[in-house]
């Protein structure tokens, strides 16, 4: 069990520093409260040295687990990453909540998120209008000028000598408000009933509509609630799927599902548009001011008074020392007050939070004359064998940022990546200059010198069709995992030497597909193998030891972490997401299955009629699952099994991928056409000019600016990607009947490009 611990945070409970939260590899977390802080310290020193995990750029040390929230904030690299737009507003707010002591394990300290929109009445919501967005420099209570004046007067005329003055008697985040929002889903329904004598709240006080809730927190002097993260990712919270009898309002309407804004036709629309608003430029350029109010220098003291941001004194850290209260009844009363008043997060900084850097490069104004060429370069390998796998591990901190390719004949190449995005479009920039091309062919393959170091010679089972699923490349580009061998193993090879480093057994029949989860600092990740034996096995890849399993002394016989069952035919495709703790797999026929990484079968994803043979799966960390079925059929499912969209295309698709934010789907197939779609509804955003060969594999560079495709002709093609521009054009398009925009070039041929001297080709003849 201890080996499964991934992060340890010291925590507060009832404003006392006596708790601890442990995060596990299987995506669960547990919070413990101890008698005193000394016990917390002892327990931390008895647990593995994992710090607060690997996500925040902090050392994995016990002193980090015991650090104060302010120390964690100061030492972490997350603010700089947010400023540079490497992480989203959502991710940054979750980071701030987490280090400031907010947790899903304590309703009194539930994570807090801002209201960002003000318009819940229009049929259409224009996210380019500033008037549709909330002023994030003010707390909820100060947004309405009349109500702000009321609170200011309350503070100025405070006459209770026993209690310090405050603007608000209620708080923006309490256990009651968390239950208010989540009353329709378990376990919160049960918690809510337990807190209310086994009855639901009065129907007029129950969360029944978004617009109504927004109006209440603008008018009601006892309501200053902010939101919770679920508003930005959990459509199920707005649906009364369990059919609870929530009562009838005074206006004679029954309370059932939450009434949505006019601009949201279904809960998924609400969550998607909320999230788009949260990530918009209007929010990005103001968010630091809201952070100042909730986590920063306007949280307390004179600045809080000026900002109309003072709450009851018992909501603040350090306001009550429970250990010094000897009278049991007084202590109990104080604890009850802390629980009912809410708890303000730990203060993370005492100076203004820096703003996010400008996004002028994202501005529509920049798009007009900047129509970049679609194709950056074409790289032709000496072999004519189709490029069946592409892995673009291009992060600059890697020893060898590279695009690793594998062909049908199992020749692989480690093609060095040069980050040229900053140069593209610069004055005088020419793609003729070879060192400005992003991909440099592996010299051993180009010169045909070390072919023995680049050829996987072990025999695969003759009945296996070599596809992109047969290979996985580790995040550091140093190892390639290959399946399909007659002995029912999959194997690990060094990409430097081509040598076999590990053989992994576990299945009762030939291994047909492999997948890798996203990788964390250190290179640890999950590997899933699927087989003709109709099962999947979940394995752990140790980035430290470069083996399957975490025991280098037992690398010959590693044990799988979980066995995933439920299919009754050969498994042909699989995707694994460590962030969600899920594995989604498809067999030759039948529904795709969703398992947890502990091996529990959660549900089947049933496609419409004739959507029977899944072939490709891509899942986003936002919880959307794109499945491609034979004969050009696509489905988008939520991970809770709801079919969100479907489409059919006139192509035999061979490769799909989702952008890192999950908003964009890229597809390519036998027709040689790469297309970009809006993932939520399959609206077409862009069509690249057709290539003269079919697409077999694809991947995106880490910055999401370059798409690399593997072609049947033995080439790879690097395309410019501009998701932001396409979304902007899509929103402004009057007619969406022909959603894509083609760039005028009808066909890309490797030969044509050379003839026309378009400077897009590095051609190395065999």
């Amino acid at each position: 069990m201890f080996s499964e611990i991934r992060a340890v945070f010291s925590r507060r409970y009832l404003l006392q520093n006596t708790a601890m939260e442990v995060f596990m590899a299987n995506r669960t977390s547990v919070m413990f409260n101890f008698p005193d802080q000394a016990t917390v310290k002892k327990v931390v020193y008895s647990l593995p040295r994992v710090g607060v995990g690997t996500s925040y750029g902090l050392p994995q040390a016990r002193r980090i687990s015991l650090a104060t929230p302010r120390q964690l904030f100061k030492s972490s690299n997350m603010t700089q990453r947010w400023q540079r737009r490497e992480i989203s507003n959502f991710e940054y707010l979750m980071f701030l909540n987490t280090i400031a002591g907010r947790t899903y394990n304590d309703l009194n300290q539930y994570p807090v998120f801002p209201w960002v929109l003000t318009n819940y009445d229009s049929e259409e919501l224009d996210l380019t209008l500033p008037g549709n967005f909330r002023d994030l420099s003010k707390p909820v209570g100060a947004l309405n000028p009349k109500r702000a004046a009321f609170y200011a007067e309350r503070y100025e005329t405070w006459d209770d000598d026993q209690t310090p003055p405050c603007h608000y008697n209620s708080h923006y985040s309490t256990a009651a408000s968390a239950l208010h929002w989540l009353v329709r889903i378990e376990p919160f329904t049960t918690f809510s009933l337990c807190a209310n004598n086994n009855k639901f709240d009065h129907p007029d006080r129950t969360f029944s509509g978004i617009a109504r809730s927004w109006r209440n927190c603008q008018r009601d002097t006892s309501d200053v609630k902010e939101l919770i993260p679920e508003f930005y990712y959990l459509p199920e919270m707005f649906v009364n799927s369990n059919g609870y009898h929530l009562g009838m309002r005074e206006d004679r309407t029954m309370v059932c599902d939450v009434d949505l804004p006019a601009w949201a036709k279904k809960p998924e629309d609400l969550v998607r548009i909320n999230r788009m608003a949260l990530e918009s430029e209007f929010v990005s350029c103001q968010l630091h001011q809201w952070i100042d109010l909730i986590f920063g220098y306007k949280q307390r003291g004179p600045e809080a008074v000026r900002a109309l941001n003072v709450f009851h004194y018992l909501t603040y850290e350090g306001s009550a020392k429970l250990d010094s209260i000897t009278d049991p009844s007084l202590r109990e009363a104080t604890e009850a007050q802390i629980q009912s008043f809410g708890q303000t997060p730990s203060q993370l900084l005492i100076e203004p939070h820096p703003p996010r850097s400008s996004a002028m490069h994202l501005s529509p104004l920049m798009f007009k004359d900047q129509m970049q060429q679609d194709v950056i370069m074409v790289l032709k390998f000496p072999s004519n064998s189709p490029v069946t796998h592409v892995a673009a591990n291009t992060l600059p901190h890697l020893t060898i940022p590279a695009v690793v390719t594998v062909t049908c004949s199992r020749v692989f190449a480690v093609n060095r990546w040069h980050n040229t995005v900053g140069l593209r479009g610069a004055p005088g920039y020419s793609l003729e200059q070879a060192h400005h091309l992003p991909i440099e062919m592996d010299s051993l393959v180009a010169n045909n010198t070390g072919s023995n170091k680049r050829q996987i010679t072990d025999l695969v089972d003759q009945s296996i069709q070599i596809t992109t699923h047969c290979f996985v490349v580790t995040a550091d580009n140093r190892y390639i995992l290959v399946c399909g061998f007659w002995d029912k193993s999959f194997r690990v090879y060094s990409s430097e030497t081509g040598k076999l480093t590990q053989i992994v057994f576990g299945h009762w029949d030939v291994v047909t597909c492999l997948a890798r989860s996203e990788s964390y600092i250190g290179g640890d990740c999950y590997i899933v193998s699927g087989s003709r034996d109709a099962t999947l096995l979940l394995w752990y890849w140790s980035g430290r030891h470069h083996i399957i399993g975490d025991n280098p002394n037992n690398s010959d016989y590693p044990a799988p972490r979980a066995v995933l069952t439920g299919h009754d035919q050969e498994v042909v495709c699989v995707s694994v997401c460590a962030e969600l703790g899920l594995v989604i797999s498809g067999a030759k026929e039948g529904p795709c299955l969703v398992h947890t990484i502990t091996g529990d079968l959660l549900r089947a994803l049933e496609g419409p009629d004739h959507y029977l043979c899944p072939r490709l799966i891509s899942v986003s960390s936002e919880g959307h699952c794109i499945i491609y079925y034979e004969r050009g059929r696509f489905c988008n499912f939520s991970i809770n099994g709801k079919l969100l969209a479907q489409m059919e295309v006139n192509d035999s698709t061979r490769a799909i991928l989702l952008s890192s934010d999950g908003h964009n789907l890229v597809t390519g197939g036998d027709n040689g056409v790469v297309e970009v779609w809006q993932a939520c509804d399959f609206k077409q955003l862009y069509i690249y000019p057709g290539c003269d060969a079919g697409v077999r594999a694809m991947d995106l560079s880490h910055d999401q600016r370059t798409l690399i495709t593997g072609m049947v002709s033995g080439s790879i093609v690097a395309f410019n990607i501009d998701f932001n521009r396409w979304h902007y054009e899509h929103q402004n398009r009057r007619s969406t009947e022909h959603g894509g925009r083609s760039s005028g070039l009808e066909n890309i041929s490797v030969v044509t490009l050379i003839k026309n001297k378009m400077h897009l080709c590095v051609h190395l003849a065999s």
Side-chain angles (χ1 to χ4, degrees):
M1 177 63 89
F2 274 18
S3 65
E4 299 291 304
I5 293 175
R6 292 289 171 268
V8 177
F9 284 84
S10 44
R11 289 278 185 243
R12 296 181 307 169
Y13 181 68
L14 295 178
L15 299 177
Q16 314 304 300
N17 295 309
T18 56
M20 180 186 79
E21 191 168 20
V22 178
F23 290 80
M24 311 299 289
N26 66 1
R27 323 310 294 162
T28 59
S29 62
V30 190
M31 187 167 163
F32 302 91
N33 186 45
F34 296 101
D36 50 47
Q37 201 169 1
T39 309
V40 174
K41 193 170 181 179
K42 277 184 198 167
V43 174
V44 168
Y45 273 88
S46 304
L47 294 174
R49 196 172 57 238
V50 293
V52 294
T54 57
S55 301
Y56 304 151
L58 294 165
Q60 289 189 276
R62 294 186 179 100
R63 63 181 170 80
I64 298 296
S65 292
L66 293 167
T68 65
R70 199 174 295 176
Q71 287 167 336
L72 291 177
F73 176 80
K74 207 168 181 179
S75 307
S76 167
N77 62 3
M78 293 291 277
T79 302
Q80 292 75 26
R81 291 183 63 200
W82 173 73
Q83 286 182 283
R84 294 194 300 262
R85 295 171 180 265
E86 292 173 15
I87 58 172
S88 65
N89 290 336
F90 182 91
E91 289 171 295
Y92 189 57
L93 288 175
M94 282 307 304
F95 158 71
L96 295 175
N97 271 284
T98 302
I99 65 165
R102 312 306 282 188
T103 166
Y104 289 107
N105 286 318
D106 184 358
L107 288 168
N108 289 297
Q109 302 184 84
Y110 211 76
V112 55
F113 266 59
W115 287 94
V116 295
L117 292 170
T118 58
N119 180 352
Y120 296 99
D121 302 313
S122 301
E123 286 291 329
E124 298 287 329
L125 184 68
D126 187 344
L127 292 179
T128 65
L129 290 180
N132 287 333
F133 289 85
R134 167 213 174 157
D135 180 354
L136 287 167
S137 69
K138 296 175 182 173
V140 166
L143 291 172
N144 177 339
K146 284 184 183 173
R147 207 168 62 144
F150 168 82
Y151 291 130
E153 185 182 353
R154 172 192 278 173
Y155 187 90
E156 296 300 331
T157 58
W158 193 267
D159 59 359
D160 184 348
D161 296 336
Q162 305 299 310
T163 310
C166 62
H167 294 110
Y168 313 105
N169 288 330
S170 58
H171 199 263
Y172 52 77
S173 173
T174 64
S177 65
L179 293 176
H180 172 82
W181 297 128
L182 296 168
V183 66
R184 288 169 178 77
I185 54 174
E186 287 290 8
F188 304 100
T189 309
T190 299
F191 293 158
S192 188
L193 290 169
C194 288
N196 205 29
N197 296 323
N198 222 28
K199 292 185 295 197
F200 287 111
D201 200 358
H202 189 284
D204 282 288
R205 287 194 298 268
T206 299
F207 174 37
S208 57
I210 306 289
R212 197 175 293 116
S213 293
W214 170 248
R215 282 195 299 272
N216 280 353
C217 77
Q218 296 307 293
R219 299 172 186 170
D220 185 340
T221 54
S222 63
D223 185 353
V224 290
K225 285 192 289 291
E226 289 280 12
L227 300 184
I228 53 176
E230 284 84 347
F231 270 79
Y232 298 94
Y233 68 77
L234 190 70
E236 286 80 6
M237 69 175 278
F238 304 107
V239 181
N240 185 13
S241 55
N242 292 317
Y244 298 122
H245 296 290
L246 299 172
M248 183 186 288
R249 295 171 50 81
E250 283 186 3
D251 61 8
R252 311 298 296 165
T253 57
M254 294 297 294
V255 179
C256 189
D257 293 347
V258 175
D259 293 336
L260 302 176
W263 42 258
K265 302 296 179 268
K266 54 185 188 287
E268 288 77 17
D269 291 342
L270 172 63
V271 166
R272 179 175 56 83
I273 294 167
N274 253 345
R275 188 67 172 266
M276 284 170 64
L278 180 67
E279 302 301 339
S280 70
E281 204 46 45
F282 290 114
V283 172
S284 287
C285 66
Q286 291 189 79
L287 191 56
H288 62 287
Q289 296 179 296
W290 185 82
I291 293 167
D292 287 334
L293 294 166
I294 306 298
F295 303 102
Y297 82 112
K298 292 183 180 178
Q299 188 198 83
R300 45 172 73 193
E303 291 292 346
V305 176
R306 272 195 282 275
L308 263 62
N309 196 40
V310 180
F311 295 86
H312 192 281
Y313 81 101
L314 277 180
T315 67
Y316 294 99
E317 191 171 18
S319 60
K321 300 255 186 301
L322 294 180
D323 284 347
S324 62
I325 304 175
T326 52
D327 181 346
S329 55
L330 180 58
R331 178 175 174 135
E332 197 176 317
T334 307
E335 286 182 0
Q337 280 183 303
I338 292 170
Q339 285 185 319
S340 63
F341 283 132
Q343 294 176 40
T344 301
S346 292
Q347 191 175 27
L348 298 178
L349 67 171
I350 51 175
E351 64 282 333
H353 188 287
R356 209 174 192 193
S357 59
S358 165
M360 274 307 288
H361 61 285
L362 301 181
S363 163
L365 300 174
M366 305 293 285
F367 297 151
K368 291 183 178 169
D369 303 312
Q370 198 194 342
M371 294 308 195
Q372 294 175 319
Q373 292 163 310
D374 284 313
V375 178
I376 305 163
M377 64 182 294
V378 179
L379 205 62
K380 176 74 179 75
F381 292 108
S383 150
N384 290 320
S385 180
V387 176
T388 195
H389 188 80
V390 175
N393 296 311
T394 58
L395 281 164
H397 69 72
L398 293 172
T399 312
I400 307 174
V403 175
V404 178
T405 56
V406 192
T407 68
C408 246
S409 54
R410 300 189 309 291
V411 173
F412 66 89
V414 183
N415 309 288
R416 191 173 280 275
W417 173 262
H418 301 288
N419 190 14
T420 62
V421 166
L423 300 168
R424 284 181 223 162
Y429 168 59
S430 164
L431 279 166
E432 277 181 284
Q433 297 155 291
H435 63 278
H436 280 180
L437 292 169
I439 306 168
E440 178 187 340
M441 187 182 290
D442 187 328
S443 57
L444 292 182
V445 172
N447 304 329
N448 230 346
T449 50
S451 55
N452 60 321
K453 289 184 175 181
R454 294 293 183 259
Q455 174 75 58
I456 294 163
T457 54
D458 297 346
L459 292 176
V460 295
D461 190 276
Q462 291 196 336
S463 63
I464 281 286
Q465 190 178 359
I466 301 290
T467 69
T468 190
H469 294 124
C470 293
F471 308 96
V472 154
V473 179
T474 58
D476 57 6
N477 294 316
R478 292 176 63 185
Y479 293 88
I480 300 173
L481 284 66
V482 185
C483 71
F485 298 103
W486 62 273
D487 63 358
K488 305 161 192 168
S489 71
F490 68 91
R491 306 186 178 196
V492 182
Y493 297 86
S494 162
S495 64
E496 188 182 350
T497 64
K499 286 183 177 169
L500 176 66
T501 62
Q502 191 179 16
I503 302 179
V504 183
F505 294 100
H507 286 283
W508 294 97
D509 207 334
V510 174
V511 180
T512 48
C513 55
L514 295 171
R516 164 172 85 74
S517 73
E518 66 276 32
S519 198
Y520 296 103
I521 293 169
D524 289 7
C525 62
Y526 291 109
I527 301 288
V528 180
S529 57
S531 167
R532 280 191 185 145
D533 65 12
T535 70
L536 300 110
L537 298 179
L538 182 89
W539 309 85
Y540 193 71
W541 172 263
S542 168
R544 183 176 164 203
H545 302 299
H546 308 299
I547 55 168
I548 294 284
D550 40 21
N551 183 357
N553 300 321
N554 190 28
S555 62
D556 289 344
Y557 303 103
R561 290 292 179 98
V563 181
L564 282 50
T565 59
H567 292 294
D568 53 13
Q569 293 193 44
E570 169 184 338
V571 180
V572 295
C573 52
V574 62
S575 183
V576 53
C577 179
E579 183 76 14
L580 298 172
L582 294 177
V583 177
I584 301 171
S585 56
K588 262 194 166 172
E589 276 190 33
C592 289
L593 302 182
V594 183
H595 288 85
T596 67
I597 54 177
T598 52
D600 297 323
L601 176 59
L602 289 181
R603 61 183 54 83
L605 302 177
E606 298 273 4
D609 290 346
H610 311 302
Y611 284 59
L612 298 173
C613 304
R615 291 296 175 262
L616 301 166
I617 299 175
S618 187
V619 61
S620 77
S621 59
E622 304 303 313
H624 290 285
C625 179
I626 307 289
I627 300 173
Y628 170 73
Y629 300 82
E630 275 188 347
R631 301 187 182 173
R633 293 167 175 150
F634 283 85
C635 285
N636 180 1
F637 292 94
S638 76
I639 51 166
N640 288 320
K642 184 173 182 182
L643 178 61
L644 303 175
Q646 65 189 84
M647 73 166 173
E648 294 190 25
V649 298
N650 293 320
D651 192 2
S652 182
T653 302
R654 299 302 186 107
I656 64 173
L657 60 81
L658 284 164
S659 58
S660 59
D661 60 10
H663 293 166
N664 311 283
L665 171 69
V666 188
T667 65
D670 288 350
N671 291 353
V673 177
V674 174
E675 298 176 77
V676 183
W677 315 82
Q678 194 163 275
C680 63
D681 54 10
F682 293 134
K683 290 281 185 347
Q684 195 178 73
L685 296 175
Y686 199 73
I687 311 177
Y688 283 97
C691 300
D692 62 348
V695 177
R696 281 290 176 272
M698 58 173 64
D699 202 4
L700 278 166
S701 60
H702 73 279
D703 59 8
Q704 308 285 291
R705 300 281 294 274
T706 309
L707 173 75
I708 302 102
T709 60
M711 315 300 289
V712 171
S713 57
S715 309
I716 55 172
V717 181
F719 294 91
N720 265 316
I721 282 271
D722 198 340
F723 293 128
N724 291 303
R725 188 182 96 219
W726 298 331
H727 275 285
Y728 175 76
E729 289 176 352
H730 176 67
Q731 284 168 6
N732 285 284
R733 217 173 277 141
R734 290 283 171 251
S735 166
T736 56
E737 286 178 3
H738 305 288
R741 170 201 152 286
S742 181
S743 65
L745 282 172
E746 288 310 312
N747 256 293
I748 298 176
S749 150
V750 177
V751 178
T752 311
L753 289 174
I754 297 165
K755 281 184 182 170
N756 293 345
K757 296 182 181 173
M758 292 176 67
H759 315 307
L760 303 179
C761 185
V762 176
H763 183 79
L764 295 167
S766 51

